Amino acid sequence: MSAVGSNTRVWALHLGVIALLLAANFVLPEYHRGVFSRVLVLATFAMGYNLLFGYTGLLSLGHAMFFAAGLYGAGLPVYHLGWSVPLSFGTGILAGGTLALVIGVLALRTTGVAFMIVTMMFAQVFYLTTLYFTTWTRGEEGLVLSQAMRTIDPAGLDISLSNPSTRYLIALTLFSAVLLLMLRLVRSPFGRTLVAIRENEERMRMLGYDVFRAKLTAVVLSGLFCASAGAAYGLLFGYVGSGFASIQYSILPLLWVLLGGAATTLGPLVGTLFMFYIIDYTSGFTTAYLLLVGVALILLILFFPKGLLGTVRERWLKWLP
Amino acid sequence: MAAVTPLIETRALSRHFGGLKAVEAVDFTLQPGEIRAIIGPNGAGKTTFVSLICGRIAPSSGSIALDGNDITRLPAHKRVLAGIAYTFQITSIFPKLTVYDNVALSVQRRLLKAGRVVAGELDAGVAQALARVGLADRAQTLAGNLAYGHQRLLEVAMGLALEPRLLILDEPTQGLSDGEIEGFIALVREIAKEATVLLIEHNMPVVMQLAQKITVMNFGRVLAEGSAEEIRANAAVQEAYLGTGRDG
């Protein structure tokens, strides 16, 4: 893990994946490019979740609130105040980070199952709040951000976020930035600290680590990544609704991360992509597609108990970060 | 007693668990550079007492000072930074991480305190700590796959890599073979050149060979304190401990 030789290999792999995704913008058919845009943004959400769940070992069932904080933090100012896209993207991230700090301080007083329940309850409060302020959020129906609201014009350049290629490239930029940040993070001393907290918290305390502070930092970083995904999602796809704050969106990132491989840098992308396409594919055959999805997931867990990349790492490629 | 400020000084230190007085009104001083052994029958409060010193457990009353500064309220992780390292009675390592990473966590903590972590310094620190306990060739093994005796040594290496001023060893020779114990005694002598060692130990030959001074605990109190000869000759100690529950 400290070997310098594996360094080049690891960076080559990650940059290679980003290059492939960039190439995909020019070769993918329109429909699939649209799917990939969504997947890239949601995979960013999953990466944020993975930092906390996979690396730090904290199972949260409330991450929809961080995604939705980004979504609303960006969407509301655009819709109601006519703020520009870059500025509201910033407020979205800020909203998620602030929320994560507050929730972290409160929820980290608990561990294990209690942490799960507490985060879930906070997320429910957030969800109900979005419904309560229907005047502003229009609840489940949501707000549609018009094309005009989603245009960036720095120095007269008219960049419309509803253009498929622009949208894809922005989604890819966000994904790549978070992926490379995650890679640096998990290979840094702080990353090693988080993994060790997951493995043996008491020992870490007795090695002189401020465990609470490390975990809080992880929650805030996770919240920032998830909020950046939420803000991008609202701005790129032009819709901001309460559905994204519901429990479903707390469970989905867990599922994506487990499928792709918890505590792997690329697992969230693989898991999210896999889940999207298996639903897409099976729903073409039958209306009972969830049955097929269920069977596929069971088979996957049977043969890839640590998720796709997690198992690949365990059996073949030990150097995968 | 010399006029030096003691490294550790406790006053009327107590810890009660409900009605159980695990540690009761202990006054204890430890001079810098000492190798001190704490002995006593099972349940005498030895582990609780050292846990109070390293901060794993909060005291019910009394005070603890390090270099004359009160640390009674200092959280455990800050006491480690102040130089108190604890190795667990029940081996506590990171079984799913490599031996290298286990020790790297200690070295990294020390380097972080001083500034920032440089990869070269980290590697050197890990190699040095592993070499001292004789595990240099196991760096890339998963810690959980080590033999039990080696896991104990890894635990000591993690303590050493912190470069502590006080190293607390809680029954370090438990479960080790005779050969391993010999090596261990040599290692502790080596460590004692740079750090003060506080040792809880059941194995009497080990205690007699290593400790310059012995503290005997019974029912949460200090029963006697002195050199190996004094302790051997002490009637109360013989009755409470050596005469009955002698093991090892």
Side-chain angles (χ1 to χ4, degrees), chain A residues 1-2 188-190 192-193 195-211, chain B residues 54 56 76-77 80 86 88 92-94 96-97 100-101 104-106 108-109 117 122 155 158 162:
Chain A
M1 265 161 243
S2 64
S188 71
F190 182 63
R192 179 185 279 128
T193 304
V195 168
I197 288 174
R198 178 189 78 196
E199 294 298 323
N200 191 343
E201 191 174 322
E202 170 68 358
R203 191 66 181 108
M204 278 306 271
R205 188 168 291 119
M206 296 316 296
L207 286 180
Y209 287 88
D210 189 340
V211 171
Chain B
C54 70
R56 283 180 69 211
H77 66 88
V80 178
Y86 175 78
F88 286 68
S92 182
I93 53 173
F94 304 93
K96 289 182 191 163
L97 305 184
Y100 175 93
D101 274 335
L105 284 160
S106 295
Q108 169 183 311
R109 179 65 270 182
V117 180
L122 188 68
E155 173 107 38
M158 289 161 75
L162 289 167

Side-chain angles (χ1 to χ4, degrees), chain A residues 86-155:
Chain A
L87 186 62
S88 49
F89 183 65
T91 55
I93 295 178
L94 196 68
T98 314
L99 182 68
L101 181 66
V102 174
I103 300 294
V105 167
L106 297 171
L108 284 174
R109 300 165 69 92
T110 65
T111 53
V113 176
F115 182 79
M116 219 166 81
I117 304 290
V118 169
T119 47
M120 190 170 86
M121 287 304 148
F122 276 123
Q124 282 305 100
V125 170
F126 190 95
Y127 171 57
L128 294 174
T129 309
T130 64
L131 293 182
Y132 183 82
F133 291 102
T134 298
T135 335
W136 300 95
T137 64
R138 300 256 292 278
E140 295 280 4
E141 187 196 328
L143 307 171
V144 175
L145 310 180
S146 70
Q147 280 202 26
M149 294 173 184
R150 296 190 285 132
T151 306
I152 316 172
D153 48 356

Side-chain angles (χ1 to χ4, degrees), chain B residues 12 24 32 54 77 89 114 151 206 212 221-222 230 237:
Chain B
E24 175 66 10
C54 70
H77 66 88
Q89 177 180 15
Q151 291 189 3
V206 172
Q212 295 144 354
R221 291 174 179 276
V222 173
E230 287 165 348
V237 173

Side-chain angles (χ1 to χ4, degrees), chain B residues 39-88:
Chain B
I39 63 171
N42 286 326
K46 306 180 295 290
T47 294
T48 307
F49 177 63
V50 297
S51 296
L52 293 172
I53 292 179
C54 70
R56 283 180 69 211
I57 300 176
S60 307
S61 61
S63 70
I64 310 160
L66 173 72
D67 292 325
N69 302 315
D70 187 85
I71 57 163
T72 316
R73 300 263 157 253
L74 205 64
H77 66 88
K78 288 191 180 156
R79 292 192 204 188
V80 178
L81 294 186
I84 302 177
Y86 175 78
T87 69
F88 286 68

Side-chain angles (χ1 to χ4, degrees), chain A residues 170-285:
Chain A
I170 290 178
L172 178 60
T173 307
L174 174 70
F175 170 83
S176 309
V178 173
L179 177 68
L180 296 179
L181 265 174
M182 278 292 291
L183 182 61
R184 279 215 57 177
L185 197 69
V186 303
R187 289 160 63 83
S188 71
F190 182 63
R192 179 185 279 128
T193 304
L194 294 184
V195 168
I197 288 174
R198 178 189 78 196
E199 294 298 323
N200 191 343
E201 191 174 322
E202 170 68 358
R203 191 66 181 108
M204 278 306 271
R205 188 168 291 119
M206 296 316 296
L207 286 180
Y209 287 88
D210 189 340
V211 171
F212 180 84
R213 212 169 115 178
K215 290 204 283 193
L216 185 61
T217 310
V219 170
V220 171
L221 285 173
S222 173
L224 285 172
F225 291 161
C226 294
S228 74
Y233 200 91
L235 294 169
L236 290 177
F237 303 105
Y239 172 74
V240 174
S242 302
F244 292 110
S246 68
I247 179 86
Q248 193 193 350
Y249 275 84
S250 287
I251 292 173
L252 280 173
L254 172 63
L255 189 64
W256 295 329
V257 167
L258 282 175
L259 276 179
T264 62
T265 46
L266 290 166
L269 173 68
V270 173
T272 314
L273 205 57
F274 182 87
M275 198 63 197
F276 254 82
Y277 272 100
I278 195 165
I279 289 175
D280 195 64
Y281 187 67
T282 52
S283 57
F285 288 122

Side-chain angles (χ1 to χ4, degrees), chain B residues 184-207:
Chain B
F184 184 80
I185 289 172
L187 176 61
V188 172
R189 289 217 170 100
E190 204 33 56
I191 296 169
K193 288 178 187 162
E194 293 147 30
T196 308
V197 176
L198 180 59
L199 181 77
I200 295 181
E201 187 53 71
H202 272 303
N203 186 325
M204 277 309 143
V206 172
V207 171

